[in-house]
Amino acid sequence: MKKELAWPQFITNFMIMVVGSRNRSQLKRPTWIILLIFIICIFLIAVYMYPPQSTSMCSLFSSKGCGSSTSTSTTFDLLTPEFSRPLNEQEIQSRIVINEILKFYPVQSKIPKIAFLFLTPGSLPFEKLWHMFFQGHEGKFSVYVHASKEKPVHASHYFVGRDIHSEPVEWGRISMVEAERRLLASALLDPDNEHFVLLSESCIPVRRFDFVYNYLLLTNVSFIDSYVDPGPHGNGRYIEHMLPEVEKKDFRKGSQWLTMKRQHAIIIMADSLYFRKFKYYCRPNMEGNRNCYADEHYLPTIFTMLDPGGIAKWSVTYVDWSERKWHPKSFRASDITYQLMKKIAYIDESLHFISDAKGSVEITPCALNGFKRSCYLFARKFYPETQDKLMKLFSNSTIF
């Protein structure tokens, strides 16, 4: 209370001194100057010791006001009845860390970069195509390669020296998620990397670099695919050992090929609680003959739980699951036409094929802030034999 009264009292005293001093013309000039300097010093000390509390006074001394600035991402209030059950100690600690990360808005560099993270068993068959994509945009991107089986032989100088420490990766195992985390960790060392794109060796660009750059950096979301699949290959993979931290109602499925903003990449690095749950209880050959694949469930689930408003619930990498097999359709050289690439580039709805008996399809419009946009910036799976035709289309066509 004393602190609140000190500020207005000081202002009153200061005004009396200034007004009263006008009638003291008998003071000599040097004495007046010394007195003025003394008053200013006292004023500055008072501002420091008794910061102003009203918004009007705050705006006088700071353009940001008295409060601290936070990002617009969703944050958790642990004191509100938001959760359906009491959180345990580990969950509270984890949520506090994540909450602080989401409130922190990273300092933007003069020229922000996109980090392209390639997850591959060896050499990248489309390096020449990616070279065309990157050319002329130096300083706006960085490249990182995780080669899980053999050291790559590079065909483009953009990829030379960009291999990171890599470990073996098994399809469907947690090692796939560990490789993604390894790539993110390497890319986060560069403070200019503001958005991160995960790609496989069979991925290609379906838009030019400028389009991709603006699409990703002019939105404050991560493009993480996330949807509910009530069938055996969705919620049927959930196991009760994930309780209490991961409940079945929060369990989600989605493509592993994603893009994410820096805040979300840091959350992945900070998370151990939920990662352990998926490491031990989302794997092939679990009890009840269930097969769970962490790369399809870990990120869609935790970001639905932790920051649902911070993700666009579709992947910007096109893949054709219409054949409803274990693996998506692959494209050969004979499939590559102007019409195919134009069709992929201008799709504005994301299809999710549900594993129920009806063969349902969930359609998600690719929209942000109420405005529809084209869904895809990249596509997979393409055989290496398609590169020459793709390069010819990329150099001559306006569809990209």
Side-chain angles (χ1 to χ4, degrees):
M1 188 67 180
K2 289 181 179 179
K3 199 169 185 178
E4 292 177 358
L5 293 174
W7 174 255
Q9 183 61 48
F10 172 79
I11 292 294
T12 303
N13 294 340
F14 174 72
M15 294 304 295
I16 292 171
M17 290 173 66
V18 173
V19 174
S21 65
R22 291 179 180 176
N23 299 322
R24 296 173 188 170
S25 57
Q26 68 272 22
L27 288 176
K28 297 180 180 179
R29 184 176 296 273
T31 306
W32 166 244
I33 293 173
I34 293 170
L35 181 60
L36 182 59
I37 294 172
F38 175 77
I39 291 170
I40 292 172
C41 291
I42 294 296
F43 177 79
L44 294 175
I45 291 170
V47 171
Y48 179 79
M49 293 179 64
Y50 305 106
Q53 300 300 314
S54 69
T55 55
S56 60
M57 292 304 293
C58 285
S59 62
L60 177 63
F61 297 109
S62 171
S63 60
K64 295 181 180 180
C66 297
S68 60
S69 60
T70 60
S71 74
T72 57
S73 296
T74 304
T75 56
F76 292 99
D77 183 354
L78 297 176
L79 301 178
T80 60
E82 177 182 347
F83 305 102
S84 57
R85 58 176 176 79
L87 300 183
N88 62 38
E89 185 175 336
Q90 286 183 314
E91 287 179 287
I92 292 173
Q93 293 171 358
S94 176
R95 301 278 178 137
I96 288 171
V97 171
I98 290 167
N99 198 28
E100 290 303 309
I101 293 172
L102 290 173
K103 288 197 297 184
F104 171 72
Y105 193 81
V107 177
Q108 291 185 334
S109 61
K110 291 183 179 179
I111 304 179
K113 294 193 295 187
I114 296 175
F116 291 84
L117 316 177
F118 291 88
L119 184 56
T120 174
S123 296
L124 291 161
F126 292 104
E127 269 196 29
K128 291 181 180 178
L129 177 61
W130 284 107
H131 182 97
M132 291 179 64
F133 174 80
F134 291 134
Q135 196 166 25
H137 302 286
E138 291 76 4
K140 291 185 176 182
F141 68 90
S142 53
V143 172
Y144 302 85
V145 180
H146 184 291
S148 59
K149 290 185 178 180
E150 58 186 31
K151 185 175 177 61
V153 176
H154 296 297
S156 165
H157 69 265
Y158 294 126
F159 291 82
V160 174
R162 305 309 299 170
D163 303 329
I164 70 163
H165 169 74
S166 306
E167 297 287 346
V169 172
E170 292 184 66
W171 180 83
R173 300 280 179 176
I174 195 66
S175 57
M176 186 78 75
V177 178
E178 291 171 334
E180 295 171 10
R181 287 162 63 104
R182 213 170 283 125
L183 282 163
L184 286 171
S186 297
L188 281 166
L189 291 174
D190 185 343
D192 290 334
N193 287 333
E194 292 191 8
H195 209 95
F196 305 81
V197 179
L198 183 65
L199 300 159
S200 75
E201 78 282 359
S202 69
C203 286
I204 64 163
V206 297
R207 292 285 192 173
R208 296 199 187 277
F209 183 90
D210 285 331
F211 187 96
V212 172
Y213 188 84
N214 291 329
Y215 190 108
L216 296 178
L217 290 181
L218 294 181
T219 55
N220 190 31
V221 297
S222 296
F223 291 90
I224 298 175
D225 195 27
S226 180
Y227 64 100
V228 177
D229 181 351
H233 302 312
N235 283 2
R237 296 172 175 175
Y238 177 83
I239 192 167
E240 286 71 21
H241 291 304
M242 286 193 172
L243 291 169
E245 292 86 356
V246 181
E247 300 179 56
K248 191 171 184 177
K249 67 180 180 62
D250 297 319
F251 197 67
R252 295 293 187 274
K253 184 178 180 180
S255 168
Q256 76 173 108
W257 309 108
L258 51 82
T259 82
M260 65 172 58
K261 59 184 181 178
R262 190 174 183 91
Q263 286 168 310
H264 286 167
I266 295 172
I267 287 174
I268 298 304
M269 293 296 97
D271 175 50
S272 61
L273 174 65
Y274 301 103
F275 176 75
R276 284 198 304 269
K277 284 288 182 176
F278 282 86
K279 180 176 183 178
Y280 296 119
Y281 304 120
C282 184
R283 51 185 171 76
N285 304 315
M286 294 190 304
E287 60 189 66
N289 294 319
R290 281 181 284 190
N291 293 303
C292 185
Y293 306 108
D295 57 287
E296 294 182 1
H297 296 283
Y298 169 56
L299 295 180
T301 298
I302 69 164
F303 281 110
T304 295
M305 294 170 58
L306 302 177
D307 191 19
I311 62 172
K313 296 176 177 60
W314 77 87
S315 169
V316 292
T317 299
Y318 172 81
V319 63
D320 185 351
W321 285 102
S322 60
E323 296 177 349
R324 292 182 175 270
K325 297 179 179 179
W326 279 107
H327 297 285
K329 178 180 178 179
S330 296
F331 296 93
R332 294 200 170 272
S334 57
D335 297 317
I336 306 304
T337 63
Y338 172 90
Q339 289 74 21
L340 172 68
M341 302 313 297
K342 182 177 180 180
K343 174 186 173 183
I344 294 173
Y346 288 94
I347 293 173
D348 60 7
E349 292 179 333
S350 175
L351 303 183
H352 295 129
F353 293 88
I354 308 301
S355 62
D356 58 7
K358 297 179 181 179
S360 305
V361 179
E362 180 185 277
I363 300 174
T364 303
C366 297
L368 288 176
N369 299 321
F371 294 97
K372 252 190 173 184
R373 55 169 61 195
S374 55
C375 298
Y376 301 115
L377 306 176
F378 315 102
R380 63 185 303 266
K381 302 176 62 168
F382 288 77
Y383 280 101
E385 67 189 52
T386 62
Q387 179 167 238
D388 289 342
K389 292 185 75 172
L390 288 168
M391 288 177 67
K392 187 175 180 180
L393 278 173
F394 195 85
S395 59
N396 297 326
S397 175
T398 60
I399 60 171
F400 293 93

